[in-house]
């Protein structure tokens, strides 16, 4: 019997009872090869860049989790192939004249266990995610909802959230201020319903495969941590007859080069990232597979302002100046990335995009000289060297970027010492949220197409996801006042003022605006490049 690589046998393990015994017996002598995109069985194997910490929509916080959860649940609105908002569980909605009351009229639908999925499940879900006892790290995205922030901070009980079921199929959402982007926001997993009847019975264990019920196109069959997540088509989904794929297998992987090799060997039909410096080689080896597209995301480095030396603005400004983001964009990335001299990326709707680092046009040599002057003024030099740690994700191009960051900052002066610390993505972001870092890299993907989704990250009230711990009353005032401005152009100008203030005070060091880079089997139809890089398998088909 010929031994096969262990990865190619993972899917076969799911057929058995699971556990180490099955892994030992099947992993050693698999006799069938995985076909990453199997047209006969309508099966797709996916290299997903990260292991989910949770598949509970109220506990998730990463794009790699969203890639899975978004196939299992549908909110009031959902994404089409181009990631545009379309009716989901809500067939239609009405908005009050002042823009603060939205009424959603739901379709008749069921959970995968046959129980009705209705407005009461949505009401329950919003109360649950905003309950501070739930410790939902992403709850702040819902603060436009009336009383959401006060409930999340413990000032009000959960039943005071401005979401209520008027009847089984009618849901009302009241807002603190007009939010024209609400249909896009409701596509996000923080707005997904959860099955009240199951959560009340099993608590946080409701998401286990033997308990869970979903309302989306695919249901969870098995999840082996750091191993595989298996979803299969949900026949109870309201549009199940138009879902072509039968099985989805998600494999975690921090090594994007290994993911590319799995696609090349035919063991995966889709990888959600590939090493950008290998783009030309991959285009030659995999004709039609390489997908590069504009992406509403940015990479940046957070300075931990809660402790020295980064509570000193001069230190933050110096390091931001001395980083050669143009070199990184042009040499580390090879897929058209742009150097980022502002926070909000290009492509954001109704936004002037005029905020920018004031020194952006200066050559790097001049910026490095000014950085040395700032650090000297802050008290650092040969007799008081500046030492700190740069933490980064061990995924994609991030380790290569880290080496350049280290070199750039060491070039400021011989008394600047930077140590690198690479960790797995999930652990890294947990450290950022806990303020357990000096300087840490990160990325932010727009959850909806509006500048607010970036600017809210630096509001004092945001909490966990305000990684640097930035707090400026004037910044908070500007962002808050933009929420109540009805004129789109004036609102954009106010938000741009807030962005400029943050760039001047440098709680973060902007790096690059990256593009989405996917490897997709050319016979997989229904995959559309889009600004959010959201691709739900509900829309996939097979080219024969």
């Amino acid at each position: 019997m010929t031994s096969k690589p262990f990865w190619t046998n993972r899917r076969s393990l799911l057929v058995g009872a699971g556990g180490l015994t099955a892994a030992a017996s099947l992993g050693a002598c698999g006799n069938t090869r995985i076909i990453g995109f199997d047209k006969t069985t309508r099966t797709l194997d996916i290299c997903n860049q990260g292991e989910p910490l949770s598949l509970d929509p109220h506990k998730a916080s990463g794009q790699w989790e969203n890639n899975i959860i978004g196939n299992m649940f549908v909110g009031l609105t959902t994404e089409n192939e181009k990631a545009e908002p379309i009716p989901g569980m809500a067939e239609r909605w009405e908005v009050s004249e002042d823009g603060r009351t939205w009424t959603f009229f739901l379709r008749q639908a069921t959970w995968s266990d046959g129980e009705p999925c209705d407005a009461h499940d949505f009401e329950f879900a919003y109360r649950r995610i905003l309950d501070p006892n739930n410790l939902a790290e992403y709850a702040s995205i819902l603060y436009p909802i009336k009383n959401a922030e006060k409930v999340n901070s413990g000032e009000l009980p959960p039943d005071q959230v401005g979401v209520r079921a008027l009847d089984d199929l009618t849901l009302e959402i009241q807002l603190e201020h007009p939010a024209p982007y609400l249909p896009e926001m409701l596509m996000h997993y923080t707005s997904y319903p959860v099955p009240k009847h199951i959560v009340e019975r099993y608590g946080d264990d409701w998401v286990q495969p033997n308990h869970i019920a979903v309302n989306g196109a695919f249901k969870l069959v098995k999840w082996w941590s750091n191993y595989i997540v298996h979803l299969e088509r949900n026949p109870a989904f309201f549009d199940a007859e138009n879902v072509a794929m039968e099985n989805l297998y998600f494999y975690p992987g921090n090594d994007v080069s290994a993911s590319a090799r799995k696609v090349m060997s035919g063991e995966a039909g889709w990888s959600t990232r590939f090493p950008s410096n290998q783009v030309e080689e991959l285009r030659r080896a995999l004709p039609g597979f390489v997908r590069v597209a504009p992406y509403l995301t940015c990479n940046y480095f957070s300075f931990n302002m809660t402790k020295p030396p980064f509570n000193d603005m001069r230190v933050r400004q110096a390091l931001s100046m001395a980083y050669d983001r143009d070199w990184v964009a042009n040499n580390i990335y090879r897929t058209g990335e742009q150097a980022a001299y502002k926070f909000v990326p290009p492509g954001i709707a109704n936004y002037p995009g005029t905020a920018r680092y004031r020194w952006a046009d200066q050559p790097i040599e001049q910026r490095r000289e000014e950085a040395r002057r700032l650090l000297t003024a802050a008290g650092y030099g040969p007799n008081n060297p500046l030492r700190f740690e740069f933490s980064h994700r061990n995924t994609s191009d991030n380790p290569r970027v880290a080496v350049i960051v280290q070199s750039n900052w060491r070039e400021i002066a011989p008394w600047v010492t930077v140590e690198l610390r690479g960790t797995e993505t999930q652990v890294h972001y947990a450290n950022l949220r806990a303020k357990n870092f000096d300087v840490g890299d990160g990325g932010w993907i727009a959850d909806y197409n509006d500048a607010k989704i970036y600017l809210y990250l630096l509001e004092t009230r945001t909490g966990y996801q305000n990684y640097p711990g930035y707090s400026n009353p004037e910044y908070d005032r500007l962002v808050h006042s933009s929420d109540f401005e009805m004129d789109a152009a004036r609102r954009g100008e106010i938000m741009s003022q807030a962005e400029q203030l943050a760039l001047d005070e440098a709680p973060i060091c902007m790096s690059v605006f990256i593009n989405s880079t996917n490897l997709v089997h050319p016979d997989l139809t229904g995959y559309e490049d889009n600004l959010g890089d959201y691709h739900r398998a509900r829309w996939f088909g097979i080219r024969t």
Side-chain angles (χ1 to χ4, degrees), residues 104-120:
F104 295 87
F105 302 93
L106 278 60
R107 67 178 74 244
Q108 293 273 2
T110 67
W111 294 101
S112 54
D113 64 358
E115 290 294 315
C117 178
D118 58 27
H120 302 285

Side-chain angles (χ1 to χ4, degrees), residues 254 389-395 398-403 406 418-429 431 436-437 439-441:
N254 293 325
E389 189 175 76
F390 180 75
S391 304
H392 64 87
R393 295 160 288 171
N394 271 337
T395 56
N398 299 307
R400 299 170 62 234
V401 172
V403 173
Q406 181 187 51
V418 184
E419 299 296 331
L420 299 183
R421 177 188 177 192
T423 55
E424 293 185 3
T425 300
Q426 306 94 316
V427 175
H428 176 73
Y429 277 111
N431 285 334
N436 181 28
F437 70 99
V439 185
D441 86 339

Side-chain angles (χ1 to χ4, degrees), residues 368-424:
R368 191 175 294 126
E369 181 179 342
E370 175 63 11
R372 187 180 304 111
R373 186 194 69 78
L374 284 169
L375 292 181
T376 301
Y380 296 97
N383 297 324
N384 184 31
L386 177 63
R387 296 189 178 93
F388 60 90
E389 189 175 76
F390 180 75
S391 304
H392 64 87
R393 295 160 288 171
N394 271 337
T395 56
S396 192
D397 297 296
N398 299 307
R400 299 170 62 234
V401 172
V403 173
I404 304 304
V405 174
Q406 181 187 51
S407 176
N408 286 170
W409 288 344
R410 283 177 171 177
E411 286 182 62
I412 297 173
W415 36 266
V416 176
T417 300
V418 184
E419 299 296 331
L420 299 183
R421 177 188 177 192
T423 55
E424 293 185 3

